[in-house]
Amino acid sequence: MAVPGRLTLAVDALDLRPDAWVLEIGCGRGAAARLVVEKLTTGRYLGVDRSETAIRAARERVPGADFRCEALERLSVEGEFDVIFAVNVNHFWVRDPAAEMERLLALLAPGGSLLLCYETPGDRSAELGGRLSEVFARHGLRPEVNVLGPKVFAVAGQSPRASQTSHR
Ligand SMILES: C[S@@+](CC[C@H](N)C(=O)[O-])C[C@H]1O[C@@H](n2cnc3c(N)ncnc32)[C@H](O)[C@@H]1O
């Protein structure tokens, strides 16, 4: 199955270490999961999606990865992740995602990164990038907006907590 270009661009932008702990929100059918797992050795990937159909397909597609059927609004995941990312999950800009951002920040390891990537239908990159940057800044993340490809952009920020070894 062909992997959409936005997912290749997003996973490359994560710049993953082989031992990284990675959480993906809205993992869909596991296309990005496969790309991530290929880059990990001792690391860990956990994909979360609210759709049971998507999670079933993801489990078939990437048997070595860990997937859970959960909504971002009711996340029960535990752990300290070096990287949390989401691609084309609109939740972050269509409403005020304050509670969800707080939950994700609590799941980030010290110095860990949050990256939200979107492929915009028209060219709304600047508008959405601005809106998401405000959300990041409100939660203490210094946002960096990068154009990854045609109509694909990402907003990334690092956990403000001091860097230290934690989960390993
Ligand atoms: C547009 S699809 C993108 C899938 C994949 N990330 C990609 O870019 O191909 C959005 C995915 O996020 C999931 N999703 C949307 N809102 C969600 C939420 N609040 N909690 C968990 N999953 C969510 C949907 O079920 C869907 O699988």
Side-chain angles (χ1 to χ4, degrees):
M1 204 182 296
V3 175
R6 66 175 175 280
L7 297 178
T8 311
L9 291 167
V11 172
D12 283 348
L14 298 176
D15 200 18
L16 293 172
R17 291 195 326 250
D19 63 348
W21 281 34
V22 181
L23 171 63
E24 181 182 8
I25 304 296
C27 62
R29 295 168 174 262
R34 174 175 286 174
L35 301 176
V36 169
V37 164
E38 280 170 6
K39 291 179 185 284
L40 302 181
T41 52
T42 56
R44 170 190 181 201
Y45 168 92
L46 172 60
V48 168
D49 200 291
R50 66 183 174 193
S51 156
E52 276 181 28
T53 312
I55 290 295
R56 212 175 303 124
R59 284 184 179 134
E60 272 177 30
R61 189 175 195 162
V62 198
D66 189 7
F67 294 100
R68 290 201 204 152
C69 186
E70 283 191 24
L72 172 60
E73 301 88 315
R74 290 174 291 283
L75 215 51
S76 71
V77 166
E78 299 292 338
E80 285 204 325
F81 294 88
D82 301 298
V83 173
I84 300 179
F85 78 104
V87 183
N88 275 2
V89 177
N90 292 338
H91 186 95
F92 295 96
W93 64 269
V94 296
R95 57 179 66 82
D96 177 7
E100 292 79 6
M101 284 293 288
E102 285 304 314
R103 179 75 188 114
L104 293 183
L105 287 181
L107 289 170
L108 263 188
S113 303
L114 174 66
L115 180 137
L116 303 180
C117 175
Y118 294 89
E119 182 173 22
T120 55
D123 200 359
R124 298 185 64 199
S125 306
E127 179 202 341
L128 297 191
R131 227 190 270 191
L132 289 162
S133 292
E134 282 171 23
V135 171
F136 273 48
R138 274 203 297 278
H139 293 273
L141 296 170
R142 200 179 308 152
E144 223 182 78
V145 182
N146 288 310
V147 174
L148 305 183
K151 296 182 181 172
V152 180
F153 76 97
V155 185
Q158 220 178 17
S159 163
R161 292 190 287 160
S163 215
Q164 60 185 35
T165 305
S166 47
H167 60 253
R168 55 180 90 84

